[in-house]
Amino acid sequence: MSSAFELRAPGPRGTPPLLARLVDDAALFPPGNATMPDAVRGHLDARAGEWAGAVGLFLCPASRLAELITELIKVKPVKPIALSLVIDTGLGGVPKAVSIVESRSELLALRMVEMPAPSDVDEVWLERVSEFVPEDVIRVVEPRRGGEGWLDGVRRVIEHGSWPKLRCGGLSRENFPSVDEVADFLAVVSGGGVAFKATAGLHHAVRRTDPATGFTHHGFLNLLVATARALSGGDVRGALASTDAAALGEEAASLSDQAAHAVRGVFASYGSCSLDEPITDLGELGLL
């Protein structure tokens, strides 16, 4: 299976190792909901832009693969798009979707397959995931958060060699995990010898409350610093709860390359429906 390090190979502009290939392009997903032409062109522009090194995979639902391929045939990318296939057609649809991607290798390079887990994160189901996804492709499984069994599900995902996914937000308040829940997740994953992927709600670098919805969003910089503290025995909850952008930026900038690689070996990437917002935030903090 591909490693987290391979997934975030250094970018062409010398992107700092803490940020290399950090932001996966989820333009097709809520709340962005970009059209396929806009999403594809935006991704290709970002890949050719000044901070291309911070841009990770392009995320596409399995149900929209044909639409993606049609668009790529029109635009003729210079090299295949590095793809994360998000399974929205059920586990049984994985083999067909993978086969379609692999048959268009001139357009697409499959790097990751992501899917939600059943409520009980069944062992047999996890074995089938391993069978259906090629060995050189990263498997990402999202256990359903809530209840006492959530972290047990995360552990089972890790034991089966998949990355657990942490959903950090969404369209309702229930989609936003608490600081304690994120800290508990990090405690499990940082000791589990496997990376994780985050998704949803991480539009900005630093924790903030959206004035339009009243929802308090986690920040991806908070999560990076919290992961660093989880690995060094620091105050994880303090990092997650902080709204001090300058202090978080200073702490992130002070990490050695070795520490940064260790952090990204745990917090591998996250999906964002906007590439401009995270890049702008990192630039304002002096991190890019």
Side-chain angles (χ1 to χ4, degrees), residues 27-287:
L28 293 173
F29 293 82
N33 297 314
T35 65
M36 188 63 74
D38 285 348
V40 168
R41 284 169 176 77
H43 185 77
L44 293 176
D45 287 348
R47 281 289 192 180
E50 183 178 6
W51 296 113
V55 179
L57 307 178
F58 182 81
L59 275 59
C60 181
S63 62
R64 299 185 68 179
L65 257 181
E67 189 183 352
L68 172 60
I69 290 169
T70 298
E71 189 60 32
L72 289 176
I73 289 170
K74 293 178 185 176
V75 300
K76 299 180 176 64
V78 175
K79 62 180 182 179
I81 298 292
L83 177 70
S84 179
L85 186 63
V86 181
I87 303 301
D88 61 346
T89 53
L91 182 58
V94 172
K96 180 179 179 181
V98 169
S99 177
I100 291 171
V101 174
E102 292 182 336
S103 72
R104 303 312 301 253
S105 58
E106 78 283 8
L107 300 174
L108 295 167
L110 185 61
R111 297 285 182 260
M112 179 180 287
V113 174
E114 308 179 41
M115 67 196 79
S119 57
D120 58 354
V121 197
D122 178 75
E123 299 273 355
V124 174
W125 184 89
L126 286 168
E127 289 293 341
R128 292 185 70 199
V129 171
S130 301
E131 293 170 6
F132 288 167
V133 179
E135 287 187 4
D136 62 345
V137 174
I138 294 167
R139 305 183 301 270
V140 179
V141 174
E142 181 185 347
R144 187 176 303 172
R145 184 174 52 81
E148 296 179 1
W150 172 54
L151 293 176
D152 290 334
V154 171
R155 292 185 183 95
R156 282 195 291 275
V157 169
I158 293 171
E159 289 165 2
H160 278 77
S162 296
W163 293 6
K165 181 193 281 189
L166 176 65
R167 184 167 297 275
C168 293
L171 301 179
S172 67
R173 194 174 298 277
E174 291 72 28
N175 294 133
F176 291 79
S178 67
V179 164
D180 284 343
E181 286 174 316
V182 177
D184 290 343
F185 176 89
L186 287 177
V188 170
V189 177
S190 62
V194 71
F196 78 92
K197 178 170 184 176
T199 189
L202 296 169
H203 302 153
H204 290 279
V206 179
R207 182 177 179 86
R208 61 188 286 274
T209 299
D210 185 335
T213 63
F215 299 158
T216 298
H217 289 248
H218 294 281
F220 65 83
L221 183 59
N222 295 77
L223 202 51
L224 286 167
V225 172
T227 301
R229 293 188 185 182
L231 293 171
S232 63
D235 179 10
V236 173
R237 284 168 171 78
L240 293 170
S242 176
T243 56
D244 188 336
L248 288 168
E250 184 177 344
E251 186 169 346
S254 72
L255 294 173
S256 67
D257 284 357
Q258 182 179 4
H261 282 297
V263 169
R264 294 298 306 286
V266 177
F267 177 21
S269 63
Y270 80 96
S272 175
C273 64
S274 167
L275 295 177
D276 291 338
E277 288 175 349
I279 297 299
T280 298
D281 280 8
L282 290 169
E284 290 176 351
L285 289 166
L287 295 174

